[in-house]
Amino acid sequence: MAGKPLLRVLSGTPVWPPPIWLMRQAGRYLPEYRALRAKVPNFLTFCTTPELAIEATLQPVRRFSLDAAILFSDIMLLPWALGCPLAYKDNVGPVLPPLTDLAAVERLALARLPEASRPVLETIRGVHAALPPAVALIGFTGAPFTLACYLTDGRSGEFHTARRMLRDNPWLFTALIERLTEAAIPYLAAQAEAGVEALMLFDSWAGLLPSSLFRRFVIAPAARIAASLKARFPSLPLIGFPRLAGLMLEPYARLSGLDAVGLDSIADPTLAAASIPASIALQGNLDPFSLLSGGPSLGEEALAIAGALRGRPHIFNLGHGVLPETPPAHVADLVHTLREAA
Ligand code: CP3
């Protein structure tokens, strides 16, 4: 059968054993990443230096023969490209001045996007040229709700500011979501033009919302982004990851118009497969702590997931990103176990 396994699954064909890639497959758990990262002091500089970002993207693919590479970048690069002053602090993550009013929403400058996203697009072109033929390249953006959480609170946490703003000042929060949705569309379209073969929306904090607000701030923006991209790139597959969506994963999958949805570690693969139409591929969902611990339970948990989703389009992945303390040998074991499952 011809074609990259990951793209066959995304077009609706089950593949056994399932293709595999891992969220945060590039990063600090790899010694070669830490060596590369040490070349520049600042993570933003690292992400916007194509030579370094290309190499970071390729490192895990080379080491583990995965089925996909994911663009090395960060979800906060989109707000940064729109003009938000962004910094990364050790042990904190991204920090930026909290957005408090409509003037700040209006300062998010879509006009800056083509110039500011140039390094990201150059990284995509460089990776595209260097990838082994069976490996697919995935581009991504932060979904509007998760980006709005970081922009309003200014850093990671429980996002109390965002969760209050969307109720106390719904027109402001809605304006922010709309602006981020309008920015995500050309940002993803430019990634598609530069050579990514699939796109993913990371909505890491989607699970903070009750159902009616989830429909409004998670499903509706995803549907708008999907409709726009499908109009321009009808065969480009789109993956959504509304983390901790719980029972809202099913309406998200049905209503968003995406080709695949990511399951977090909490989701039960059998129940998800029973409720989500088989035309929509499922991605996931090994607990990152299983990969961290390794040993017999890693293989058992991984094969249970693959077995539960066998016969329907499934991309093997974690339910969230690789933890920085993970021994790289455990990733090699996981890939080996799955490939031997044939
Ligand atoms: O391999 C890959 O997955 C590609 C690169 C990638 C990064 N971040 C690199 C990164 C991707 C796809 C992301 C997505 C991302 N970034 C998300 C969505 C997925 C998720 O984890 O929920 C979120 C919420 C962010 C925001 C972010 N960036 C945080 C909270 C942090 C700090 C926490 C941490 O892991 O350090 C970052 C920094 C970051 N992004 C690092 C990496 C490799 C670590 C920084 C470093 O190496 O110095």
Side-chain angles (χ1 to χ4, degrees):
M1 273 185 284
K4 306 188 181 192
L6 185 107
L7 299 182
R8 279 167 45 216
V9 170
L10 286 171
S11 72
T13 309
V15 171
W16 184 263
I20 175 173
W21 71 279
L22 305 175
M23 292 187 275
R24 292 285 183 100
Q25 65 190 24
R28 283 162 298 185
Y29 77 106
L30 291 176
E32 60 271 34
Y33 172 81
R34 295 195 297 270
L36 192 68
R37 177 71 185 77
K39 294 189 177 186
V40 290
N42 153 335
F43 182 64
L44 187 54
T45 309
F46 187 88
C47 288
T48 54
T49 305
E51 185 199 339
L52 299 175
I54 292 167
E55 178 57 19
T57 307
L58 294 170
Q59 283 175 341
V61 174
R62 244 184 241 131
R63 194 194 254 258
F64 305 117
S65 78
L66 298 155
D67 292 285
I70 180 156
L71 164 70
F72 191 91
S73 181
D74 192 75
I75 60 163
M76 298 311 295
L77 270 277
L78 176 56
W80 171 79
L82 301 174
C84 293
L86 171 68
Y88 286 85
K89 281 206 183 134
D90 288 344
N91 309 317
V92 176
V95 285
L96 54 173
L99 176 153
T100 56
D101 57 17
L102 195 59
V105 174
E106 283 165 357
R107 279 198 300 273
L108 296 172
L110 266 73
R112 296 191 46 175
L113 194 57
E115 178 62 27
S117 50
R118 260 173 47 189
V120 170
L121 305 179
E122 203 180 319
T123 300
I124 292 170
R125 286 187 284 267
V127 173
H128 191 78
L131 269 189
V135 180
L137 177 57
I138 302 170
F140 70 91
T141 186
F145 178 67
T146 288
L147 293 178
C149 284
Y150 282 100
L151 288 177
T152 51
D153 279 68
R155 57 163 63 209
S156 268
E158 294 196 37
F159 301 106
H160 287 198
T161 311
R163 293 156 85 182
R164 292 182 63 171
M165 185 194 287
L166 63 90
R167 294 170 168 98
D168 297 346
N169 211 339
W171 54 267
L172 174 57
F173 197 79
T174 301
L176 175 58
I177 292 285
E178 282 183 357
R179 193 73 152 210
L180 293 167
T181 305
E182 277 164 28
I185 293 165
Y187 184 53
L188 293 174
Q191 293 184 39
E193 272 162 359
V196 302
E197 300 164 286
L199 287 166
M200 181 151 164
L201 288 177
F202 283 98
D203 220 343
S204 304
W205 299 106
L208 294 177
L209 292 173
S211 57
S212 62
L213 294 167
F214 184 99
R215 288 178 208 280
R216 184 159 152 208
F217 294 126
V218 173
I219 297 180
R224 240 180 92 195
I225 292 168
S228 264
L229 284 157
K230 288 290 177 189
R232 275 183 66 186
F233 307 96
S235 59
L236 184 74
L238 307 174
I239 308 167
F241 181 51
R243 194 170 69 90
L244 301 178
L247 293 174
M248 294 308 286
L249 185 65
E250 186 255 333
Y252 179 92
R254 278 179 200 277
L255 300 172
S256 61
L258 301 167
D259 304 277
V261 292
L263 309 179
D264 55 53
S265 310
I266 308 303
D268 179 80
T270 305
L271 293 178
S275 68
I276 293 170
S279 56
I280 298 172
L282 300 177
Q283 175 171 279
N285 73 338
L286 182 73
D287 190 332
F289 283 89
S290 175
L291 187 63
L292 175 63
S293 291
S297 59
L298 167 59
E300 286 158 21
E301 288 181 46
L303 291 177
I305 291 164
L309 296 175
R310 186 168 184 169
R312 63 176 287 154
H314 173 219
I315 299 162
F316 196 94
N317 204 315
L318 300 179
H320 202 192
V322 177
L323 296 163
E325 309 79 23
T326 304
H330 294 181
V331 176
D333 289 345
L334 169 64
V335 174
H336 181 77
T337 302
L338 273 181
R339 296 266 160 81
E340 291 298 297

